Structures are given as C-alpha cells and as structure tokens.
Amino acid sequence: MLESQLHNIQNETEGMSIEETLSYLASKYPSRVAFSTSFGEEDQVVSDFIFKNDLPIKVFTLDTGRLFKETYDVFYKTTLKYKKNIETFFPKTESVQELMTTKGSHSFYDSVEARKECCGIRKMEPLGRALKDVDIWITGLRAEQSENRHDMGKFQYDSKFDCIKYNPIIDWKYDEMKSFIAKNGIPYNVLHDKGFPSIGCAPCTRAVKEGEDIRSGRWWWEISKKECGLHG
C-alpha cells in the first residue's frame, strides 16, 4: 500500500523546500513519521530542520553500546540546544550477553558474516522496533557518501521495513553541508575534524587517510560494500 503512494508523494512535494516537505509529510502521516540520527554531520543538519521548525516528527537514535565518547557529547549538546527529546533504542540485553559470552568481545573482526551478526543485534533489531509503526523514515543520507548511494533519490520505498524513505539532503555537496552547519551553529562531532567523515561504533571506525574513500574508515579490515544493512 505504501509503495503505491510513493509516486503521489513525489508529485505533491515537487518544488517544495525541505521544511515544506517535512511539514507536508508530518501532516499527511501524523505520528507515523520518524527521523533516525547517528549524530553525524548530515544527521545534525536534518535534526536542525526538524527541531528548529518544531515539527511533530519523532527523532530517534540507536545506542549500540559501543559508540565514541564524542558521539555522546554531540547527543548531549543537541538536546541542550534544541530542548527536544531524542528517543533512544538499545539492543536486547539477552542477545548482547549471548553474543559476548559465546563469541567474545571482538568476534566482528573474524568475518563479514560475524560482523553483520553483531550489526544485526546492535543495530538492525533495534531499528526494526524503532520503525515498527512508521510510514515515513527520514534519513541524512548523501549521494557522495558511498557508491551504493549514488543512485538514491529523495524518495524511495524500503521493502525491508515497509516504509517510504525520505532523503532530504541526498543531493547536497560536502561544502554545502559544512557551510550550513557553521552558519546555523549546529553541534557536530569533533571527530569529523580529525579524519572521521563517517562515524559508527568505536571498534569499527578509524580515521581515513588523504585520498581514501570516505567510507574506508568503516569496517576497514574487510573488503565489502561498507554497509551494515540499515541502508543497503
């Protein structure tokens, strides 16, 4: 049913600004629109649009239990600036305990399958709960971030979670994003200034070297599409 509404949404929002589109979606799908943030620069831009305009959109985050201290700092600064709640979803305690007990603390280094198992427990399962009653899933994806995202449009149907995904800044360039953050005084992760363009769990993220792909710092020990499953 939702997939059939994709074309209408695209037509009705044609020419709208980001603020107008977000407001339209919140009005058309009351209490069923949500934005997922991991507190990266892109997500902070989208949070600013939502919070600054006081839009009735749920903002949530996934706390895997292995985030950088700097990420928690941005979380705190964001709630201070906007005075808004950010709903937090944790992995199931029993699943994490079983993984740690049976496979140890660093099993994700063993293989792509083992890493995806960890991502599944710490990210995918909580995301499924977060999106349970959501029709419109808003993201901070940008096409420049990875090869997998080059062909993404502003709207697409996500069959995995049966919702329509809205990517408001998909076509933004890096400099455009940085300028927006500076102009609006938006809190951002200081790791971005230290060679971390993409920030996930601390054990799975390193700084990238000059000339490297911006996703190369994620799961750097493996050769794969560099995705955890959330967006591909």
Side-chain angles (χ1 to χ4, degrees):
M1 180 178 177
L2 278 173
E3 187 174 10
S4 66
Q5 298 176 31
L6 181 61
H7 186 66
N8 287 337
I9 292 175
Q10 289 173 321
N11 286 339
E12 291 175 13
T13 59
E14 184 69 31
M16 284 187 181
S17 66
I18 291 176
E19 295 96 328
E20 290 169 337
T21 302
L22 289 170
S23 180
Y24 161 84
L25 293 171
S27 176
K28 187 175 179 65
Y29 299 92
S31 302
R32 302 189 70 84
V33 182
F35 168 55
S36 58
T37 177
S38 59
F39 303 104
E41 290 172 306
E42 289 84 3
D43 291 341
Q44 289 298 95
V45 167
V46 179
S47 289
D48 184 74
F49 279 118
I50 294 171
F51 290 149
K52 188 167 57 182
N53 292 284
D54 199 28
L55 297 172
I57 293 173
K58 178 177 79 172
V59 177
F60 72 88
T61 191
L62 308 178
D63 187 340
T64 65
R66 291 197 151 181
L67 304 180
F68 285 95
K69 172 190 176 298
E70 291 84 352
T71 300
Y72 291 111
D73 290 343
V74 181
F75 189 161
Y76 177 66
K77 291 176 181 177
T78 302
T79 56
L80 279 183
K81 176 178 174 64
Y82 300 103
K83 303 296 189 295
K84 299 288 187 179
N85 292 329
I86 297 174
E87 191 170 354
T88 305
F89 289 82
F90 292 90
K92 289 184 176 179
T93 302
E94 297 80 5
S95 298
V96 175
Q97 286 178 173
E98 181 178 359
L99 178 66
M100 296 284 281
T101 299
T102 59
K103 298 186 178 180
S105 60
H106 287 68
S107 62
F108 46 84
Y109 290 133
D110 294 340
S111 67
V112 173
E113 291 71 28
R115 191 267 292 171
K116 288 186 176 181
E117 178 183 25
C118 187
C119 286
I121 291 171
R122 294 180 182 273
K123 299 173 74 173
M124 296 301 295
E125 189 281 327
L127 179 63
R129 280 187 276 122
L131 295 176
K132 183 180 178 182
D133 298 313
V134 169
D135 289 337
I136 307 294
W137 175 16
I138 303 166
T139 83
L141 297 177
R142 285 192 309 111
E144 285 185 335
Q145 288 176 313
S146 73
E147 183 178 341
N148 298 333
R149 301 173 185 181
H150 282 174
D151 297 327
M152 286 185 178
K154 287 194 174 182
F155 288 98
Q156 59 187 144
Y157 175 69
D158 190 304
S159 59
K160 187 183 301 180
F161 296 104
D162 186 29
C163 62
I164 292 174
K165 188 181 289 185
Y166 173 44
N167 311 308
I169 63 170
I170 191 70
D171 56 358
W172 280 35
K173 302 300 182 184
Y174 178 76
D175 289 343
E176 181 180 3
M177 176 187 68
K178 292 293 288 185
S179 176
F180 186 90
I181 289 172
K183 180 180 179 180
N184 291 278
I186 300 173
Y188 71 93
N189 198 320
V190 296
L191 290 177
H192 289 307
D193 296 331
K194 300 177 181 180
F196 289 78
S198 179
I199 303 170
C201 293
C204 302
T205 311
R206 67 159 174 81
V208 304
K209 300 174 184 177
E210 186 175 353
E212 286 186 315
D213 181 86
I214 63 175
R215 294 285 291 181
S216 62
R218 303 291 295 277
W219 311 293
W220 70 91
W221 63 90
E222 65 183 45
I223 300 174
S224 72
K225 291 184 178 181
K226 303 293 185 179
E227 297 285 358
C228 62
L230 266 69
H231 300 296

